[in-house]
Amino acid sequence: MAERYDLAVVGAGIVGLGHAAAAMERGLKVVVVDRATAVTGATVRNFGHIGTSAHAGEAREYAERARELWLRYAPRAGFWLREPGTLVVARTEEERAVLAEAGEGVALTGEEVMHRVPVTGAVAGAHLPRDVQVDPRSAAPALAGYLQRRGVEFRWRTAALGVEPGVLHTSRGEIAASAIVLAVNFDVDHLFPEIAEQHGIVRCGLDMMLADGVGLGIPLLTGSSMLRYSAFAGTRAAAALRRRFETDAPEILTRDVNQMYTERPDGTLVVGDTHYRGTTVTPFQDEAAFELLTRLARELFDGKAIRIRQRWQGVYASAPQDFLRAAPMDGVRVVSVTTGIGMTTGLGLAESVVDELF
């Protein structure tokens, strides 16, 4: 307890790293605690898609700021980042209507879409030019390394056991800090079960895959993505699109599929993803989910064989609201992104919390 920190952060995912980065930029003394030995959670199991234009309201505000921060830290931390934007492909008239009403990005004809990416059956599309992309497996670890070089202390294999104003209790002793942030994704209920219950926080499991690339070159969203992201889901036309899925592809709704694709720097294709929720997420993944994702990819990419290299399960916090910002006691904040858009919004959310605390 002899050494005192301005900010102690529990959790080294992108939200926790965002708090550490914002505090470091202010010249504050920061320590990050994580029970793992490296960044291994939802932050490295996603698409690496920083999709600012697909969101509205508070999420859009955090996403716009996060975009600026990703662009700032990529050259400083030395991780891969590109700015291709995002391509949203519409393959039905209902999807075309959603894109038209949303009015996001640059409108494209079906022919223009199929000229840009190797998909079939496009009737329209939109290019969202402000979106950026990182490699999820390397960006956050590189950011953590950069923060450590800049003086942020990391205590790995250290579990948070409890908190009180000014003191974080850990498995390796107490840490004195003026402010404490718990950015533990879905594990809010471990230390603050009443906050988890009050905000309706559960765990959301995902099925995802890595496949051989198809020469995509740009993140790709589809009609099922339009039902998930607020800039599209908030349109009047989205109701008709949902009815179309209920009639023609109910399994996409049953498994809550976001049919989405990104290609990593080595050209491999991230394929996703399904969603299933509960206070506990079973580790036993259903092969039928992977078969569905493979079939959807094959159909979209004109029957191209999809060779799968890896399969994995992601888990993130899920709740009715997009974000959790709770203040259970003075100088203590519990923070989480609760809709699976942590890479897109986490850095912006974290900066706003640090602004509030300091």
Side-chain angles (χ1 to χ4, degrees):
M1 291 285 286
E3 191 171 17
R4 186 172 186 86
Y5 298 87
D6 297 304
L7 177 65
V9 180
V10 181
I14 194 57
V15 177
L17 294 176
H19 285 86
M24 180 271 292
E25 294 283 3
R26 285 174 168 266
L28 301 176
K29 188 175 183 179
V30 185
V31 59
V32 178
V33 170
D34 197 290
R35 66 189 183 191
T37 58
V39 184
T40 59
T43 296
V44 297
R45 305 185 197 187
N46 60 82
F47 292 98
H49 180 234
I50 317 302
T52 62
S53 304
H55 304 286
E58 186 180 23
R60 181 65 167 263
E61 294 176 11
Y62 291 146
E64 290 287 357
R65 180 54 181 157
R67 178 185 186 276
E68 297 175 8
L69 294 169
W70 280 114
L71 291 171
R72 173 193 297 177
Y73 290 125
R76 296 181 184 181
F79 58 81
W80 178 86
L81 178 147
R82 64 179 175 182
E83 303 178 65
T86 298
L87 193 61
V88 190
V89 57
R91 303 175 74 212
T92 67
E93 290 303 316
E94 289 84 358
E95 292 169 5
R96 186 210 299 265
V98 170
L99 289 185
E101 184 180 343
E104 291 289 345
V106 179
L108 303 172
T109 66
E111 291 76 13
E112 289 171 328
V113 170
M114 291 184 286
H115 178 73
R116 293 191 182 200
V117 292
V119 301
T120 185
V123 300
H127 179 233
L128 313 179
R130 289 185 54 75
D131 294 358
V132 300
Q133 182 188 355
V134 298
D135 179 10
R137 302 188 183 193
S138 61
L143 179 58
Y146 166 72
L147 294 177
Q148 187 168 25
R149 293 191 297 273
R150 289 292 305 274
V152 174
E153 182 179 340
F154 283 80
R155 299 189 185 182
W156 301 101
R157 298 187 72 184
T158 302
L161 304 179
V163 63
E164 58 186 275
V167 181
L168 173 64
H169 302 278
T170 81
S171 55
R172 297 181 187 270
E174 296 180 340
I175 296 174
S178 299
I180 300 168
V181 170
L182 292 99
V184 292
N185 196 6
F186 50 81
D187 281 340
V188 173
D189 54 7
H190 286 188
L191 290 178
F192 292 99
E194 68 283 357
I195 290 178
E197 292 166 1
Q198 177 184 354
H199 292 269
I201 293 176
V202 296
R203 289 158 177 79
C204 180
L206 334 166
D207 300 308
M208 299 184 69
M209 303 187 299
L210 188 72
D212 286 348
V214 296
L216 197 56
I218 185 172
L220 188 68
L221 305 181
T222 70
S224 61
S225 309
M226 299 179 200
L227 296 180
R228 303 191 63 81
Y229 298 129
S230 53
F232 306 111
T235 63
R236 293 184 299 275
L241 175 57
R242 180 171 291 278
R243 290 194 294 271
R244 175 71 179 255
F245 276 111
E246 290 171 350
T247 301
D248 294 352
E251 69 275 18
I252 289 180
L253 298 182
T254 300
R255 293 196 180 272
D256 196 7
V257 172
N258 178 12
Q259 187 184 356
M260 177 179 169
Y261 309 92
T262 60
E263 282 188 344
R264 298 178 58 228
D266 63 2
T268 53
L269 182 71
V270 181
V271 178
D273 58 356
T274 66
H275 300 80
Y276 39 93
R277 295 168 178 81
T279 52
T280 298
V281 169
T282 175
F284 308 110
Q285 296 172 270
D286 187 351
E287 184 63 19
F290 294 113
E291 292 172 354
L292 173 61
L293 293 175
T294 303
R295 176 174 63 81
L296 291 173
R298 188 170 57 246
E299 292 172 353
L300 178 64
F301 297 118
D302 199 17
K304 184 178 178 63
I306 304 296
R307 189 173 82 88
I308 305 303
R309 295 189 177 195
Q310 296 176 345
R311 306 166 190 253
W312 68 91
Q313 182 182 59
V315 185
Y316 66 71
S318 179
Q321 303 300 317
D322 289 345
F323 305 100
L324 169 66
R325 294 180 62 156
M329 57 191 75
D330 289 344
V332 177
R333 298 293 182 270
V334 181
V335 184
S336 184
V337 179
T338 51
T339 46
I341 54 174
M343 293 294 276
T344 294
T345 63
L347 295 181
L349 168 65
E351 187 179 68
S352 72
V353 174
V354 171
D355 285 343
E356 175 191 324
L357 284 169
F358 294 96

